[in-house]
Amino acid sequence: MADPPADLEIRPLRPGDDLDAQLDLSERAFGPGSAADHDRRIQSLSRLIAGGQWLGAFAGGRPAAGAAFQDMRQWWRGRPVPMAGVSSVTVAPEYRGLGIGRRLMTALLDEIAARGYPLSALFPATMPLYRALGWELAGARDSVVIPARSLLRLVPPDALSPDALPPDGACPDSRPPAPATRGQ
């Protein structure tokens, strides 16, 4: 692996940065978006930049890579746990293999930790970089095919009809527990 450029700068993107250059970086990594989608993508990018949630790597002042994180939650034992959802990880083709992605992701993880997120998640295109930085594959996807006619005899219909649901539409046993108060 060659060394990253000596003038590499990794920092949060700012409102004055060239958003179209960031979109170009994204399109070169993930493929082009539609022209109709441009305004929505700029709006999303602007929101993340305003929240300090998009980091960019610049070589010679030119965008070389970028990554963002979204404020999300996972539910553990019925309680919400803050999670940073890592997204839009891009490295321009001409800067790949120089260690820029590793430096960018390390800086992103530092920012995520500084904000107090105990968890982060992403959908990786490749595992070596992310695994080396502490991420691991988790979860499962199961698929079961059951003929609909088989379901008729399994369980009688649920006694809780939609008309009997509370106004928020949540089933009584699916609501998260109330927050704990001091002294409990």
Side-chain angles (χ1 to χ4, degrees), residues 22-184:
Q22 292 300 319
L23 289 183
D24 177 64
L25 188 60
S26 178
E27 289 181 354
R28 291 192 294 143
F30 298 117
S34 69
D37 204 29
H38 181 266
D39 291 342
R40 184 197 60 78
R41 295 174 68 215
I42 288 288
Q43 186 177 25
S44 176
L45 179 57
S46 297
R47 179 184 50 80
L48 291 168
I49 289 171
Q53 295 168 268
W54 196 297
L55 270 60
F58 297 85
R62 192 172 144 215
F69 65 93
Q70 315 274 337
D71 182 44
M72 302 175 123
R73 303 282 177 272
Q74 281 195 12
W75 287 82
W76 290 75
R77 301 192 72 192
R79 296 185 187 273
V81 177
M83 180 189 77
V86 175
S87 65
S88 305
V89 179
T90 59
V91 178
E94 63 271 23
Y95 289 108
R96 292 180 186 159
L98 302 178
I100 293 173
R102 179 177 301 277
R103 288 187 182 194
L104 175 66
M105 294 310 295
T106 299
L108 190 74
L109 279 172
D110 289 344
E111 181 64 24
I112 287 169
R115 291 185 183 218
Y117 288 97
L119 297 171
S120 65
L122 55 82
F123 292 100
T126 182
M127 277 306 296
L129 168 65
Y130 300 111
R131 183 171 277 145
L133 293 173
W135 279 287
E136 189 51 73
L137 294 176
R141 179 179 177 176
D142 297 316
S143 179
V144 178
V145 177
I146 300 172
R149 68 182 173 278
S150 301
L151 300 175
L152 289 173
R153 292 192 265 295
L154 289 180
V155 182
D158 193 357
L160 188 59
S161 73
D163 297 333
L165 288 174
D168 65 2
C171 294
D173 59 351
S174 69
R175 292 192 186 118
T181 58
R182 220 179 259 283
Q184 287 186 338

Side-chain angles (χ1 to χ4, degrees), residues 1-26:
M1 177 186 318
D3 291 329
D7 62 352
L8 183 69
E9 176 189 18
I10 296 175
R11 62 169 174 79
L13 284 142
R14 300 183 280 253
D17 286 327
D18 184 353
L19 300 187
D20 283 322
Q22 292 300 319
L23 289 183
D24 177 64
L25 188 60
S26 178

